[in-house]
């Protein structure tokens, strides 16, 4: 069980393991999806199927909706290719005319990744790594068994949640919360599925655990509330929906309507709408302030993100004591080391050398870095999931 107040801060690198793109990868995925939707719109204009199964986003664009949406997609794609932004959030802030179509396509990308994970039960991004390798041969990406890769790090969370429980009510005694910057709902969905598969726990306690002040999506989610098995569908397919076939007209309208509805819940424009949800941001700040143990996984330490959830105020060594912080920096990137060091200590050099930790767990203000993937970090480095740090032990 999580006996100390523990908070997980999740960035895009954490959910990459479940087939979702990182910040840079999302830009590329949006370009591909925009090009695909533009081609589909062009086909609808030429095919004569203009009065059947019109998606809401197209319908609200006026009598020439297909033309307008096609032109928006083409403009979005061409500008993204020209700018090559590091993050799409800032790009949409700079291009007001493309915000609506940008959000719709982002939702489509996330939902499509979600469906692929559900269909395969594995991270399809491994195929892309092989495909993009200079040593790859035709067909290599299809022959690889992606199920052999270790990605499902939520299993470590599930184990910690249940370990030490003697009855179902024990689940509710876990002192753990999650702050995620990701738009997907893989965390709550997978925790729900795993916990419901344990006889010791009853469904009522699982539901209460997950909905009771537990998870904050700082910038919104493609799903409203707790996604259950009947609300997440593995048959969702942007590729099939946008195929040039009259057999899928109704499916295309339904899929694009789901994307449009989901996009309305996303806060993707920095800084215009990312600070609108004061309740969620305030909740995240309070959780971090109260935490004794903080895991920061797959997170890039963006200054605006740090500020919005109060990360510096909660974790700066000069301001606080008795905090145990563990963070990942896959590949040991110097840029991340400097950002993390500056955040925690007010100076850049603390994690630039070979040291993987600062401080001592028995004395408080302990910071530990893993240069592995999130899965490997929880499996091989961060032993706090199995033991408790003396400095943060509840009395």
């Amino acid at each position: 069980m999580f006996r100390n107040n523990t908070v997980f801060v999740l960035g895009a690198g954490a959910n990459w393991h479940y087939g979702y793109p990182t910040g840079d990868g999302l830009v590329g995925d949006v370009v591909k999806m925009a090009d695909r939707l533009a081609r589909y719109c062009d086909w609808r204009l030429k095919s004569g199927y203009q009065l059947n199964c019109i998606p809401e986003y197209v319908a609200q664009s006026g009598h020439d909706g297909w033309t307008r949406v096609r032109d928006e997609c083409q403009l979005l794609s061409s500008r993204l290719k020209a700018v090559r932004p590091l993050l799409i959030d800032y790009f949409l802030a700079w291009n007001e005319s493309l915000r609506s179509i940008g959000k719709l396509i982002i939702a489509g990308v996330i939902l499509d990744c979600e469906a692929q994970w559900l269909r395969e039960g594995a991270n399809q991004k491994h195929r892309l790594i092989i495909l993009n390798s200079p040593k790859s041969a035709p067909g290599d990406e299809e022959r690889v068994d992606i199920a052999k890769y270790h990605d499902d790090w939520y299993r470590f969370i599930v184990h910690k949640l249940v370990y030490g429980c003697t009855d179902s009510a024990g689940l509710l005694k876990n002192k753990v919360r999650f702050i995620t910057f990701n738009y997907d709902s893989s965390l709550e969905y997978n925790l729900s599925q795993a916990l419901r598969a344990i006889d010791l726990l009853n469904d009522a306690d699982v539901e209460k655990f997950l909905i009771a002040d537990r998870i904050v999506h700082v910038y919104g989610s493609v799903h409203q509330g707790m996604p259950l098995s009947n609300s997440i569908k593995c048959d969702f397919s942007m590729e099939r929906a946008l195929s040039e076939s009259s057999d899928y007209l109704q499916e295309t309208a339904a899929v694009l309507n789901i994307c449009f509805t989901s996009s309305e819940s996303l806060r993707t424009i920095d800084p215009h709408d990312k600070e609108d949800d004061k309740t969620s941001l305030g909740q995240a700040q309070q959780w971090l302030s109260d935490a004794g143990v903080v895991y920061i996984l797959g997170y890039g330490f963006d200054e605006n993100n740090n500020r919005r959830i109060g990360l510096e105020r909660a974790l700066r060594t000069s301001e606080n004591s008795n905090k145990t912080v563990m963070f990942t920096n896959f590949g040991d990137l110097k840029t991340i080391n400097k950002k993390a060091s500056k955040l925690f200590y007010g100076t850049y050099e603390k994690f630039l050398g070979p040291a993987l930790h600062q401080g001592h767990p028995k004395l408080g203000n302990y910071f530990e870095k893993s240069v592995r993937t999130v899965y490997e970090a929880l499996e091989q480095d961060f032993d706090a999931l199995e033991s408790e740090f003396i400095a943060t032990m509840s009395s």
Side-chain angles (χ1 to χ4, degrees), residues 37-38 41-42 45 65-75:
L37 180 53
C41 292
D42 203 43
L45 286 166
W66 288 114
T67 300
R68 288 175 176 266
V69 175
R70 179 199 62 190
D71 293 347
E72 284 181 341
C73 289
Q74 291 176 340
L75 185 60

Side-chain angles (χ1 to χ4, degrees), residues 365-379:
N365 284 333
Y366 178 73
F367 294 83
E368 182 177 338
K369 174 182 70 173
S370 171
V371 298
R372 309 179 202 266
T373 68
V374 171
Y375 186 100
E376 292 167 340
L378 295 177
E379 179 188 40

Side-chain angles (χ1 to χ4, degrees), residues 7 57 143 147 184 210 225 245 295 306 309 355 364 386:
V7 173
Y57 185 79
R143 287 190 289 268
D184 66 90
L210 289 171
S245 170
Y295 294 87
N306 296 343
I309 64 172
E386 290 302 327

Side-chain angles (χ1 to χ4, degrees), residues 162-169 195 197-202 205:
V162 185
Y163 185 82
C165 290
T166 58
D167 55 26
S168 183
L195 294 173
I198 297 174
D199 280 347
L200 178 67
L201 308 177
N202 62 58
D205 285 331

Side-chain angles (χ1 to χ4, degrees), residues 355-369:
L356 295 177
H357 63 85
Q358 298 287 338
H360 194 284
K362 293 184 178 181
L363 302 177
N365 284 333
Y366 178 73
F367 294 83
E368 182 177 338
K369 174 182 70 173

Side-chain angles (χ1 to χ4, degrees), residues 44-97:
R44 287 295 296 263
L45 286 166
K46 296 175 181 177
S47 66
Y49 297 110
Q50 295 193 44
L51 299 179
N52 299 316
C53 305
I54 307 298
E56 184 178 351
Y57 185 79
V58 177
Q60 75 171 19
S61 297
H63 69 281
D64 56 348
W66 288 114
T67 300
R68 288 175 176 266
V69 175
R70 179 199 62 190
D71 293 347
E72 284 181 341
C73 289
Q74 291 176 340
L75 185 60
L76 175 63
S77 176
S78 64
R79 288 190 179 180
L80 283 173
K81 291 173 183 176
V83 177
R84 299 175 63 198
L86 301 180
L87 296 170
I88 199 166
D89 312 55
Y90 295 99
F91 173 85
L92 293 178
W94 304 331
N95 293 273
E96 184 175 0
S97 63

Side-chain angles (χ1 to χ4, degrees), residues 222-243:
V222 291
H223 294 287
Q224 290 295 302
M226 174 58 58
L228 302 176
S229 57
N230 60 352
S231 65
I232 293 185
K233 300 183 182 300
C234 64
D235 60 353
F236 183 99
S237 173
M238 290 296 290
E239 183 175 2
R240 185 173 66 240
L242 298 181
S243 63

Side-chain angles (χ1 to χ4, degrees), residues 135-152:
K135 297 182 180 180
S136 66
D140 280 355
E141 72 277 9
E142 295 301 327
R143 287 190 289 268
V144 66
D145 183 2
I146 60 176
K148 292 183 177 180
Y149 289 90
H150 291 166
D151 284 295
D152 187 14

